[in-house]
């Protein structure tokens, strides 16, 4: 059974578009990672500084291993875009 990872990101003041660009830039890295099934990036209509990243993975371990595919300098750049630390949880499908 696959697992869904839901990540929530909140942009620092004035950095929403830059965060959107960053999230879009890591999508191909996520999709190219072993065990990735799909990845969708959503922007809140009423709060444009809030984003969700919905990732489907073959296993939780595949998601955790994929983090090493994102270059450390990209993570460092992203830190300046966040208003708060990102949040994330794993979910199992019921149907």
């Amino acid at each position: 059974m696959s697992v869904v990872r839901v990540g929530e990101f909140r942009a620092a003041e004035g950095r929403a578009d830059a965060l959107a660009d960053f999230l879009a830039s890591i999508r191909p890295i996520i999709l190219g990672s072993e065990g990735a099934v799909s990845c969708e990036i959503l922007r809140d209509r009423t709060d444009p500084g809030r984003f969700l990243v919905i990732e489907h993975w073959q296993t939780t371990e595949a998601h955790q291993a994929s983090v090493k595919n994102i270059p450390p300098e990209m993570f460092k750049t992203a830190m300046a875009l966040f208003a708060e630390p990102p949040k994330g949880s794993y979910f199992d499908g019921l149907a």
Side-chain angles (χ1 to χ4, degrees), residues 1-8 35 53-67 87-94:
M1 176 185 287
S2 66
V3 64
V4 176
R5 168 75 175 181
V6 178
E8 182 177 352
V53 177
I54 313 296
E55 303 168 66
H56 290 253
W57 291 89
Q58 291 175 351
T59 65
T60 302
E61 294 77 20
H63 171 262
Q64 292 168 345
S66 75
V67 175
K87 300 172 188 167
S89 299
Y90 293 102
F91 296 86
D92 292 320
L94 298 179

Side-chain angles (χ1 to χ4, degrees), residues 22-88:
F22 169 76
L23 294 172
S25 77
I26 65 169
R27 186 174 183 271
I29 297 170
I30 292 167
L31 291 172
S33 296
E34 186 174 340
V37 177
S38 67
C39 177
E40 186 174 9
I41 301 168
L42 307 173
R43 190 173 196 170
D44 191 316
R45 286 184 165 194
T46 60
D47 180 358
R50 181 174 174 246
F51 299 86
L52 295 179
V53 177
I54 313 296
E55 303 168 66
H56 290 253
W57 291 89
Q58 291 175 351
T59 65
T60 302
E61 294 77 20
H63 171 262
Q64 292 168 345
S66 75
V67 175
K68 72 179 182 315
N69 297 333
I70 300 173
E73 62 273 8
M74 287 182 81
F75 275 125
K76 186 176 180 179
T77 300
M79 295 309 290
L81 305 176
F82 300 138
E84 59 191 41
K87 300 172 188 167

